[in-house]
Amino acid sequence: MKVSEAVCVSSIEIMSSLLSECLYEISQQAAPPCKDYHQLTVTQTQVVFKVWRVSCPLRHEKPQPAENKKSHTDFLQDSHAQGHIGRVFGPHTLDYVVNLCWHRYDYLVRLPDWLLLNILSFLEWADIKNISQTCKRLQQLCCSEGFWAQGTAGARYGKSEVTMEGVSPTLQRRLVVFHRRQVLSGLAQQQHSKRKNSVWHL
């Protein structure tokens, strides 16, 4: 095995170790007039689909879930199961589940916070604006106190020429607060320097 191939295999193994047993889970009530409750779980080996049939309240029956389990391979070959999930949860969820069954994992959002924050600190402002709009978790990290407390983030994104255009409202608020802190910090340093100089002249 070549060195490059060995490095690639090692990287894949490291990334795979970050995957939890449950890769994805979503639950919701079916569209009216149906009131059945659906839950979809994708593990590293199976696609599990559960349905709670909502019965008439006058019968006082406790709903029992109907469960359907399929391996990734079986699910990819079952057009009926795919169509049902697409109708209940929508085409985007179906595409995501199919990709997981093909082992096309979204490793980036599964990285620990400390590692993601380190990666984000190397990005330019235009990249931060774009990546903060890709998913909820990355938006939360881009707006987090931990991200803006980093020295690199402050040096890059605390400049006055950083534009608000195309920035999500949440990130805009974080940027405004950060700029205010920068201004207050600058004023405090100036006052400290003035006091120090006045004491020196005395």
Side-chain angles (χ1 to χ4, degrees), residues 46 57 65 80 84 139 152 182:
Q46 290 182 320
H80 176 73
H84 188 57
Q139 183 189 65
T152 307
Q182 291 290 92

Side-chain angles (χ1 to χ4, degrees), residues 49-84:
F49 187 69
K50 292 181 180 180
V51 181
W52 283 262
R53 304 290 180 187
V54 178
S55 59
C56 177
L58 298 178
R59 296 179 182 176
H60 303 289
E61 296 177 353
K62 185 177 181 180
Q64 297 295 327
E67 186 177 76
N68 186 12
K69 293 183 179 181
K70 290 185 178 294
S71 66
H72 290 181
T73 303
D74 290 342
F75 177 78
L76 291 171
Q77 296 173 352
D78 192 335
S79 59
H80 176 73
Q82 293 183 34
H84 188 57

